[in-house]
Amino acid sequence: MIRSELIQKIADENPHLYQRDVERIVNTVFEEVTDAMARGDRVELRGFGAFSVKQRDARTGRNPRTGETVEVEEKHVPFFKTGKLLRDRLNGKA
Amino acid sequence: MGEKTLTRMDLSEAVFREVGLSRNESAQLVESMLQHMSDALVRGEQVKISSFGTFSVRDKSARVGRNPKTGEEVPIQPRRVLTFRPSHLMKDRVADGNRK
């Protein structure tokens, strides 16, 4: 499933809404999740999963091609943990 | 930096502000998005949201695990797990936003 298919499904279920509004709704939700993580916030969606930000410490890395050492700065990366209900559903338990 | 936790309510509030539907209908739309995404994943489909990220389902085979507390061996059944791979755009925005 891709973004446009998700938009189409929601549009089909809500014939009273304009397609362009459905697009805005779907985009707003994803945008809101990314914005929250960019601020360092978490987004917890019970039953689906939780988006959070993890800190990766600074380290000395190595360029695998040249073998040269490089200093990698501390950075923050997005992380998703699957919710219990969805995990159970994936395994036919719910 | 934040450390706040947003929930469905915050996402519905954003939809409510953006489109001007009722709060109730905004909440239902957020719920239905999550439902459609979950259903697709349960069917074994990938959910690929451009400029956000990709959710995919992976099969893990059975293995022997160990209870870290007791050292006891326990069989772990084959299972399906969900992984999320953030898009480059999301990675960049999260890295930039949290830079000190």
Side-chain angles (χ1 to χ4, degrees), chain A residues 43-81:
Chain A
V43 182
E44 200 175 300
L45 304 168
R46 285 284 161 87
F48 182 77
F51 295 91
S52 60
V53 179
K54 290 211 164 178
Q55 183 182 324
R56 298 271 178 263
D57 289 333
R59 63 188 170 85
T60 306
R62 208 173 266 279
N63 180 327
R65 203 171 302 173
T66 63
E68 207 179 349
T69 61
V70 276
E71 294 308 317
V72 182
E73 277 180 40
E74 168 195 297
K75 67 171 174 185
H76 291 82
V77 296
F79 180 76
F80 176 76
K81 185 174 189 279

Side-chain angles (χ1 to χ4, degrees), chain B:
Chain B
M1 183 160 103
E3 299 283 311
K4 241 180 67 185
T5 299
L6 278 73
T7 63
R8 281 172 168 72
M9 231 193 354
D10 299 282
L11 301 184
S12 335
E13 190 64 25
V15 169
F16 167 76
R17 282 195 312 261
E18 178 73 22
V19 194
L21 300 171
S22 71
R23 282 199 164 80
N24 189 28
E25 190 170 13
S26 303
Q28 278 170 17
L29 287 162
V30 170
E31 201 52 52
S32 126
M33 270 178 74
L34 296 174
Q35 196 62 49
H36 283 301
M37 291 168 68
S38 302
D39 289 350
L41 293 163
V42 170
R43 289 194 300 268
E45 278 177 45
Q46 224 182 29
V47 174
K48 205 167 178 169
I49 308 297
S50 57
S51 76
F52 184 80
T54 303
F55 298 90
S56 18
V57 179
R58 287 178 37 206
D59 279 300
K60 295 270 214 180
S61 44
R63 64 184 173 90
V64 179
R66 208 176 269 278
N67 180 329
K69 214 171 281 180
T70 62
E72 200 183 353
E73 283 190 355
V74 276
I76 297 177
Q77 300 303 317
R79 67 214 155 96
R80 290 208 295 170
V81 296
L82 177 57
T83 56
F84 174 67
R85 191 164 179 268
S87 69
H88 272 288
L89 185 85
M90 179 190 281
K91 280 195 206 168
D92 289 348
R93 285 184 55 191
V94 170
D96 291 347
N98 291 282
R99 190 163 286 138
K100 296 198 176 94

